[in-house]
Amino acid sequence: MTSSSSVLQAVQPTGALDVERIRADFPILNLKVNGKPLVYLDNAASSQMPQQVIDRLVRYQTAEHANIHRGVHYLSETATAAYEGARGKIQRFINAKEAREVIYTRGTTDSLNLVMHGYGRAFIGAGDEIIVSQLEHHSNIVPWQMLCEEKGAKLRVILCNDAGELLLDDYRKLFNSHTKLVAIAHVSNALGTINPVKEMIATAHQHGVPVLVDGAQGVPHMKVDVQDLDCDFYAFSAHKMCGPTGIGVLYGKAGLLEKMRPFEGGGDMILSVTFEKTTYNVIPHKFEAGTPPIAAGIGLGATIDYLESVGMDRIAAHEHDLITYATDAFRKLKDVRIVGTAQDKAGVLSFTVKGVHPHDVGTILNEEGVAVRTGHHCAQPVMQRFGIPATARASFYLYNTLSEVDALVASIHKVQKIFG
């Protein structure tokens, strides 16, 4: 077990991370899979949890557990203080103007659906248009298709080039008097492309159009300042940033959240109820019906403590070193295609091996202890753009090492030997 001070010690005087010290915080990284040391490269799907966050969850369950907001006894007040304290940490972490602009959700998908139901169904109608991109995860496509089907609205799509970069000139031409919302990913989960969201938000605002950013792959890997971006909504999940599953966040500008309809009805989201009328609670509680995942929310607060103690800029720099090293190594591999070669990329390396289905690649890598994701990554339009059904995807985080990249490359050689 380590303490937060050990994390601080993991930041070397030069500013670089002492990755071995970081790794000591993650007990799961000591596992062996098929007799080989685990090489965990599936972080875009879900990242691992440090001991500090695990300890915080255990402390809540063993000494603080109670329902929040409704009790006047010690445990309820303790749990409420910790849960709302975590909301304050989230506010500071993304630099939201106010804590009430931070809505707890079940995750990014839940956040995006909240905007669709609460904002889209109220303010988007027949003939209106919503702009999304070709790089979106299904969770930022399907809700808008459902809304278009219900309202008679239309989806417009920003296409990408062969490198996986959005065509910004085409994006600017998509706006017209019918455009009501832009919904875009900060970082492509399938390719790792970092989209120029600040510039894209400014373009949308020139037309008076609000912007929702899917930040599931953004917040875990770089410093995000929602006021600097000037986004109207920003959504992310805890489990992709070393936190627990079942908890996520929707940031929204207070003025917009106040205009929105609640997504779900129930306890905690009301001020008063009679059989004639319900008066809704103020934000953020208006959108948080029922008993929330209290432990997970407190765990998210501990996760933010951990990431801040390491430093988001240092994490981003470390991941840049990893993706640069991995890309150079993969370019030397015969019959291996990197899918997604954008100039500005996060730590995601999608690839195919000639003559081998990605699922077979993943299976053989698993035999070597290397965990990657295979499939369409819930981004089938991306696969269609590149004329492939699926890829294998290695995704890096703060605890990965250059030697793990070497292990991945060695495992690819084994795949080619078996299928060669």
Side-chain angles (χ1 to χ4, degrees):
M1 187 178 300
T2 59
S3 66
S4 58
S5 61
S6 72
V7 176
L8 293 175
Q9 291 165 6
V11 179
Q12 297 176 322
T14 58
L17 294 184
D18 182 343
V19 183
E20 290 307 317
R21 278 188 174 274
I22 294 288
R23 290 177 66 84
D25 291 335
F26 293 81
I28 203 168
L29 298 180
N30 295 320
L31 281 180
K32 289 194 173 182
V33 175
N34 296 319
K36 310 283 179 59
L38 170 66
V39 176
Y40 188 78
L41 303 177
D42 193 19
N43 297 287
S46 199
S47 57
Q48 300 299 342
M49 194 181 295
Q51 188 66 51
Q52 291 87 338
V53 177
I54 297 170
D55 290 344
R56 185 65 188 91
L57 292 171
V58 170
R59 178 153 66 93
Y60 167 76
Q61 295 291 3
T62 55
E64 300 175 355
H65 173 67
N67 212 329
I68 57 172
H69 294 155
R70 303 181 182 91
V72 294
H73 57 81
Y74 166 78
L75 282 179
S76 180
E77 290 185 344
T78 300
T80 299
Y83 188 74
E84 292 301 329
R87 195 192 304 272
K89 291 178 183 177
I90 298 164
Q91 175 205 346
R92 292 189 293 276
F93 188 59
I94 61 173
N95 195 31
K97 194 177 294 182
E98 307 173 66
R100 68 191 183 119
E101 294 178 319
V102 174
I103 313 295
Y104 282 119
T105 66
R106 294 193 297 269
T108 305
T109 298
D110 195 38
S111 298
L112 299 173
N113 276 273
L114 194 164
V115 178
M116 187 279 273
H117 285 277
Y119 182 85
R121 296 182 78 185
F123 299 105
I124 296 175
D128 289 339
E129 297 181 357
I130 303 160
I131 296 176
V132 299
S133 87
Q134 201 168 24
L135 298 180
E136 300 307 314
H137 188 284
H138 295 166
S139 63
N140 203 25
I141 298 173
V142 179
W144 306 115
Q145 287 178 324
M146 295 167 70
L147 183 69
C148 288
E149 187 176 358
E150 175 186 325
K151 298 286 189 178
K154 184 178 179 181
L155 211 59
R156 306 291 302 275
V157 180
I158 315 163
L159 302 180
C160 69
N161 61 21
D162 290 342
E165 298 164 326
L166 294 180
L167 301 173
L168 297 184
D169 287 341
D170 290 357
Y171 166 64
R172 296 183 191 98
K173 294 174 184 174
L174 291 177
F175 288 91
N176 58 52
S177 60
H178 301 290
T179 310
K180 298 300 180 189
L181 183 74
V182 173
I184 48 172
H186 197 163
V187 177
S188 162
N189 72 305
L191 307 182
T193 305
I194 301 175
N195 292 320
V197 290
K198 184 174 179 177
E199 177 185 347
M200 296 176 76
I201 291 165
T203 298
H205 286 177
Q206 288 171 4
H207 296 272
V209 175
V211 180
L212 161 65
V213 179
D214 172 356
Q217 304 294 338
V219 160
H221 305 286
M222 63 187 75
K223 187 178 287 184
V224 170
D225 182 332
V226 293
Q227 291 193 70
D228 180 60
L229 291 177
D230 199 24
C231 55
D232 300 279
F233 301 102
Y234 196 100
F236 59 97
S237 300
H239 72 98
K240 296 181 190 293
M241 53 190 286
C242 301
T245 54
I247 190 80
V249 169
L250 173 68
Y251 157 81
K253 289 180 178 175
L256 288 172
L257 293 174
E258 287 171 338
K259 294 177 183 175
M260 285 168 51
R261 296 159 50 179
F263 179 22
E264 296 177 312
D268 228 27
M269 53 77 69
I270 57 91
L271 288 177
S272 66
V273 177
T274 68
F275 283 113
E276 288 73 34
K277 183 182 179 183
T278 292
T279 302
Y280 302 133
N281 207 338
V282 298
I283 60 170
H285 308 296
K286 182 171 74 170
F287 300 105
E288 298 177 355
T291 298
I294 303 166
I298 294 170
L300 173 54
T303 301
I304 287 172
D305 289 341
Y306 182 84
L307 292 177
E308 287 185 326
S309 67
V310 177
M312 294 307 299
D313 288 340
R314 291 186 175 95
I315 292 171
H318 177 64
E319 291 181 24
H320 182 266
D321 290 344
L322 288 168
I323 191 66
T324 300
Y325 182 78
T327 301
D328 289 344
F330 268 62
R331 282 177 174 155
K332 296 172 186 171
L333 291 172
K334 188 180 178 184
D335 294 330
V336 172
R337 174 191 178 190
I338 298 174
V339 183
T341 53
Q343 192 73 26
D344 199 7
K345 278 187 68 173
V348 173
L349 189 66
S350 238
F351 63 94
T352 59
V353 179
K354 186 177 180 180
V356 188
H357 193 282
H359 287 276
D360 292 327
V361 173
T363 300
I364 294 171
L365 262 55
N366 180 59
E367 291 175 358
E368 298 300 305
V370 179
V372 299
R373 177 80 27 168
T374 60
H376 54 63
H377 315 300
C378 294
Q380 286 182 318
V382 175
M383 300 297 119
Q384 292 156 9
R385 167 62 179 80
F386 288 92
I388 50 178
T391 70
R393 182 189 68 187
S395 51
F396 307 108
Y397 210 7
L398 71 165
Y399 39 68
N400 290 125
T401 66
L402 298 181
S403 63
E404 289 184 316
V405 175
D406 292 338
L408 171 65
V409 172
S411 299
I412 299 294
H413 282 302
K414 184 165 185 180
V415 170
Q416 292 177 316
K417 185 177 180 181
I418 291 172
F419 283 87

